[in-house]
Amino acid sequence: MTTLFLGAGFSKWAFDLPLVNQLFDFDIQPTNEAENRKLELLQKDWSIWKNENLRASEEQFIYWCLHKSSHRRSRIIWYVSRRLTEPFMTRIQGSYTSAMFDERVVRENERIIKIKGFINSIVSFGLQGILTCNYDTLVECALGTKGFNYGVVGEQLFGRCQR
């Protein structure tokens, strides 16, 4: 039995998604004034918090935001989600929309094509599963959701990423 383990390096390599220690690079393009304001407030919180907590990790900042206030909780959830989907956002009439995932961006990515070829080549060795600890959905969207489950054996996922 063979299982493929894809660590955070996979998503970094495939789409330059940030590792957790790079998460607060604020590399997103706000789509409107409300998003711009959220980003400014979060950047301010990050700057102040980081100066007061020099040895703390990005995970600790996320924890702090989640437990400090409902406004900060809302902003950190928005930001992390938005930062991890930025490379996949659909461009509509000159601006981006976070509501639409551009599946073609994933499907046509040369690195994803390579990893699919690699996976197909190891199927003959008895590939039984793929294990990932990533905090994004790149693996599912790149390889399709057939056979994926989140702890419920036999569970079938359905949605836009299914191929």
Side-chain angles (χ1 to χ4, degrees):
M1 180 171 91
T2 303
T3 300
L4 178 61
F5 176 76
L6 298 173
F10 172 73
S11 298
K12 179 69 175 167
W13 171 77
F15 274 95
D16 199 27
L17 291 178
L19 300 172
V20 73
N21 66 346
Q22 302 164 328
L23 190 58
F24 295 102
D25 59 4
F26 302 103
D27 188 16
I28 65 171
Q29 294 180 355
T31 60
N32 57 43
E33 190 52 43
E35 282 192 352
N36 194 49
R37 181 71 180 140
K38 285 182 201 178
L39 187 59
E40 287 173 356
L41 290 169
L42 189 64
Q43 286 174 307
K44 181 179 175 185
D45 281 347
W46 170 249
S47 179
I48 292 169
W49 186 87
K50 196 63 179 165
N51 285 334
E52 293 174 357
N53 299 277
L54 297 176
R55 295 184 182 190
S57 69
E58 286 72 7
E59 292 97 331
Q60 289 170 307
F61 175 67
I62 294 170
Y63 181 89
W64 178 82
C65 288
L66 289 172
H67 295 89
K68 185 68 174 172
S69 71
S70 62
H71 297 293
R72 284 183 175 91
R73 178 174 46 248
S74 175
R75 280 194 294 270
I76 197 69
I77 291 170
W78 166 80
Y79 174 76
V80 170
S81 177
R82 188 52 205 289
R83 179 61 185 94
L84 297 176
T85 59
E86 184 77 11
F88 314 109
M89 291 174 63
T90 300
R91 193 164 178 83
I92 296 179
Q93 296 180 352
S95 65
Y96 287 95
T97 175
S98 56
M100 293 185 68
F101 190 84
D102 189 345
E103 296 164 9
R104 194 184 80 224
V105 170
V106 176
R107 190 174 54 248
E108 296 177 359
N109 180 280
E110 68 181 60
R111 293 176 182 168
I112 295 302
I113 293 168
K114 285 180 184 179
I115 194 72
K116 284 176 139 178
F118 171 72
I119 290 170
N120 288 334
S121 74
I122 63 173
V123 166
S124 62
F125 295 103
L127 180 64
Q128 295 295 309
I130 298 172
L131 176 65
T132 179
C133 299
N134 293 349
Y135 47 76
D136 60 70
T137 60
L138 182 58
V139 176
E140 297 95 317
C141 291
L143 304 177
T145 59
K146 185 177 181 183
F148 275 86
N149 72 70
Y150 294 88
V152 179
V153 177
E155 172 186 32
Q156 290 294 310
L157 301 177
F158 298 96
R160 293 181 51 86
C161 293
Q162 185 176 2
R163 296 200 199 346

